[in-house]
Amino acid sequence: MTLTHADTGAAGAGGDGPYEHGLTEDLARAALALARRFHAGGTMWCASPSWTFHAHHVAVEFVHPVIMGKRALPAVVVPPGADLVASLRATVRPGDMVVVVAGTAPSDPGGADVAEVMRRGPAWGVETVWIGAGTRPPAGAADHVLWLGTDDPLVASEQFVRIYHLLWELTHVCFEHSGLLQPDLCEEEVCITCSDEGRTAEVVAVDEGGDAVVRTAEGRERIDVSLIDPPRPGDLVLVHAGSAIASLEEGRS
Amino acid sequence: MRFVDEYRDPAAARRAVEEIGIVSGGEHRKFMEVCGGHTHTIYKHGIENVLPENVELVHGPGCPVCVIPMGRVDDAINLAEQPGVIFTSFGDMMRVPGSTSNLLEAKARGADVRMVYSPLDALRIAQANPDRQVVFFAIGFETTAPSTAITLLKAKEAGVTNFSVFCNHVTIVPPIKAILESPDLRLDGFIGPGHVSTVIGNRPYRFLPAQYGKPLVTAGFEPLDILQAILMLVRQLRDGRCEVENQYTRAVRDEGNVRALQILGQVFELRPHFEWRGLGFISHSGLKLSEAFADWDAELRFQVPGVRVADPKACQCGEVLKGVIKPWECKVFGTACTPETPIGTCMVSSEGACAAYYNYGRFTREAAASARIPVRSA
Amino acid sequence: MSPETTDFLYPFIEGDERDSASLLADLSASAEAKWGYSERLRQETLALCHDQLASVSAAMARRFEAGGQLFAFGNGGSATDADDVAQVFTRPPRGEPLPARSLVTDHAVLTALSNDIGFDVVFSRQLEAHGGPNDIAVGLSTSGNSENLLVAFRQAAKRGMLTVGLAGYDGGQMGRCDELQHCLVVRSDSVHRIQETQAALIHALWSAVQSEYQAKGAA
């Protein structure tokens, strides 16, 4: 099923060309995830700190399909120049998607903000897709990491267009499989109460009495934060049985 | 059916699986995941099916619901049925069988049993019902004990006298030690519990390499985290290292949560021994309220029968908890013992090895038998 | 008639599909094939346009050397390509920055012109305001038929600007437009694949202009 570089005629020699091992499998998986989120009413937020035009291109593909008969889907560009984290925090809702085209810091100066957004995905309840090239982000940086091996910014930029075009095309193929757009059948209740559960939450506000209002994928809730150093609004914490048991900010520079 | 493609960052997961295969070099490796949360992730995401055949996972005693002995459940039901009591419990405990009944049935018989998500909710119920006695059924490892401790501190501070705690908190290190002492088990290493370790840190595990020559890697709860921890374990074995390592660095500090540990020390003290289902009595493995909090100890406030009840004969939870047998090798698995009518506690909690296997395993076992699932379509 | 016999006709009404594995495999295979086609189209187009790229880039370099600037425009996805043109010329990954602007970025101008006159003039009126004889007009389209591009090329020609177009299919009306001096055509009938190769053409054009401009500057 997987073609080699020679078969696809992709640029680059040997195994380290710009066309990465497994990229199309990742694209397929990301497309199905996006289709499920759109189907459930989610909005796609598009951003690209260093290539604003890519963010606009992604959004226009989904909103105004080039192929007749395809659905217009809600996709929005995060205003360029805005504080990416603050802007998304204010607007995303659980069930949404965030698609970003960016490299990693320091080669892409916007990469640090992007990593911050992706890290917050679980607390915001959003599905994250990180399209990029060059040095790969750490494993698990986003729900979907669609990565190119090339260090050439122009080659990367051209191939980003392919990636998001394919993402759009595959997403629409998924809409033709309505049975696969339903929530997972085997999604059975996890023991949320007692054992080793820990949910990622973002602190919204801290009370004087050692309580905080936090945001999780399930909504807002009030938790106890007296077991950890006083958090600041925007910090990520791990919540277990109504208490923050760990800060996810320590050791981060 | 789930594939590695469905994990967060599937590309990274594929790389980890490939590397586990290369690094382990076909050598048979058997690792125990101590934590019930890990067991749940492993079954739910079919991790056993994407691993190379030579890497085997066995499931440990880390589900706090599964290890609670029947006698303690009987005590809880007895407390719940005392007049004027509001008995509060985490949801997972409601169906855990005592010797004759469970909490849900007690509720049906008229006891005021309420499900809570946090011990702090139980305290709020007590404050809202000053004329009632509110008892919280505290269970869980070091992850959960700090929440109970904070609740007790708040109860004391606010002078809430109609609140008490039936304490069944246990600690994770003693059963690991007990398992290592058991002669019928050969393990190459441990996947350490992630959220317990946010509290206790990585230092308490040092005895494993030092005394038993076994490596341990603390892991997070994403499927990718578990794969990375397994990779770190096979790397240690290949390189001839034997250490405590931390995969879950985004949450776990080596020293743990110092503030939480201090509060635990203030509120609790070790029991000389505590009974574990299937494992028997393990010394210094349970917590009780300290002298300073004796006024909030339900075992002192109420008459609690405290009868020891032997585990049902047919049930092999103990062997499952020690990793000696796989859930489906138990004599009653899936026949007399199902999640709807559990005999053993491993079948009750969704994190229990038997329930996890029952819910997700039948699929994966069939699939694994018919063909090894390819990691990617190549 | 059993339901399965009509499934092949109406795959989209199949609501009970639960196993995503075969769909994911199909999607992946489809992406492989499209990626391969896109890559071949890119290489073929760059080869076909080789001489044309050389002459266009030389002409562009002369305009820049004479103090001219570049204006890029297009609609929809091609508007974002116009931004790409402006970005790569003004903030190049290597070489010297050259003056270039996208005509799609000022929403006040775009909405004023559209509202007061009509969308056909959104680019031509801007060229009328800014364009001079040393300047370059680069219009991007996949169909080659966008009216506002054709109007803009006529205005640009009138002002003595160098006119460069990127189009798809057979070039459309852009391919037959007398006022358009250079039209680079991506010969495909897929909007997506055309745009993917146009992105490569933009960068190839920029790269060639850089070489021309530097060679001339050194001489």
Side-chain angles (χ1 to χ4, degrees), chain B residues 292-366:
Chain B
F293 289 85
D295 289 348
W296 286 269
D297 190 339
E299 288 178 83
L300 299 175
R301 184 173 300 181
F302 300 95
Q303 283 288 328
V304 179
V307 179
R308 186 166 179 246
V309 181
D311 292 333
K313 277 216 176 66
C315 166
Q316 292 179 287
C317 277
E319 284 150 284
V320 172
L321 289 170
K322 282 188 284 189
V324 175
I325 63 166
K326 295 280 184 183
W328 72 87
E329 291 167 348
C330 172
K331 291 191 286 284
V332 290
F333 176 83
T335 52
C337 184
T338 65
E340 290 73 39
T341 55
I343 293 177
T345 41
C346 296
M347 194 55 100
V348 177
S349 163
S350 57
E351 297 194 356
C354 295
Y357 211 91
Y358 189 88
N359 289 330
Y360 301 112
R362 281 187 299 183
F363 274 133
T364 48
R365 202 146 36 93
E366 281 162 21

Side-chain angles (χ1 to χ4, degrees), chain B residues 55-293:
Chain B
V55 177
E56 188 189 344
L57 296 177
V58 293
H59 317 301
C63 164
V65 173
C66 305
V67 297
I68 192 147
M70 231 175 220
R72 297 296 284 186
V73 179
D74 285 352
D75 288 347
I77 293 166
N78 181 281
L79 279 169
E81 293 187 324
Q82 298 206 14
V85 164
I86 299 173
F87 194 80
T88 56
S89 168
F90 291 138
D92 265 27
M93 286 309 298
M94 304 291 272
R95 284 187 305 121
V96 173
S99 54
T100 58
S101 173
N102 64 29
L103 282 169
L104 214 55
E105 288 162 7
K107 186 181 167 78
R109 288 194 297 266
D112 192 347
V113 180
R114 303 186 192 179
M115 202 183 93
V116 290
Y117 290 97
S118 161
L120 290 159
D121 293 340
L123 179 59
R124 279 188 275 271
I125 293 172
Q127 285 169 312
N129 297 277
D131 53 335
R132 303 278 298 277
Q133 281 290 330
V134 175
V135 181
F136 175 65
F137 191 4
I139 70 151
F141 287 104
E142 293 91 327
T143 328
T144 320
S147 296
T148 305
I150 276 292
T151 306
L152 284 161
L153 282 173
K154 288 191 175 182
K156 190 173 191 178
E157 197 183 289
V160 183
T161 54
N162 63 323
F163 176 73
S164 60
V165 168
F166 178 47
C167 185
N168 294 275
H169 284 302
V170 286
T171 61
I172 195 73
V173 171
I176 297 180
K177 222 168 143 71
I179 283 163
L180 282 165
E181 300 289 352
S182 102
D184 41 4
L185 192 67
R186 192 191 67 85
L187 288 171
D188 296 298
F190 290 88
I191 300 169
H195 294 147
V196 162
S197 306
T198 62
V199 175
I200 68 173
N202 291 312
R203 290 174 187 161
Y205 305 121
R206 286 180 191 159
F207 77 98
L208 278 163
Q211 293 176 29
Y212 295 92
K214 305 292 180 196
L216 176 141
V217 176
T218 305
F221 290 83
E222 296 272 352
L224 180 61
D225 290 325
I226 293 172
L227 290 174
Q228 286 184 320
I230 293 168
L231 178 57
M232 289 165 80
L233 283 167
V234 293
R235 276 197 190 128
Q236 285 202 35
L237 292 165
R238 180 198 59 186
D239 301 345
R241 288 180 294 126
C242 182
E243 296 160 13
V244 173
E245 286 186 302
N246 184 7
Q247 182 276 334
Y248 198 27
T249 51
R250 59 186 190 272
V252 173
R253 312 272 88 80
D254 267 356
E255 69 281 11
N257 182 336
V258 176
R259 193 186 297 250
L261 288 169
Q262 277 166 353
I263 292 170
L264 286 183
Q266 230 178 306
V267 173
F268 296 113
E269 57 188 49
L270 278 180
R271 295 176 192 263
H273 48 72
F274 194 75
E275 190 188 356
W276 291 60
R277 186 175 183 113
L279 301 176
F281 284 93
I282 300 176
S283 59
H284 299 113
S285 66
L287 300 175
K288 70 179 189 105
L289 304 198
S290 65
E291 220 26 65
F293 289 85

Side-chain angles (χ1 to χ4, degrees), chain C residues 55-94:
Chain C
S55 58
V56 179
S57 59
M60 287 172 71
R62 298 299 90 76
R63 300 282 174 137
F64 282 121
E65 283 152 14
Q69 56 184 324
L70 184 157
F71 299 98
F73 44 92
N75 299 295
S78 299
T80 71
D81 288 340
D83 291 341
D84 186 7
V85 172
Q87 180 161 332
V88 73
F89 277 89
T90 54
R91 287 186 279 142
R94 53 187 178 270

Side-chain angles (χ1 to χ4, degrees), chain C residues 92-110:
Chain C
R94 53 187 178 270
E96 209 171 318
L98 293 168
R101 281 167 48 193
S102 162
L103 298 184
V104 300
T105 51
D106 191 327
H107 54 285
V109 170
L110 290 179

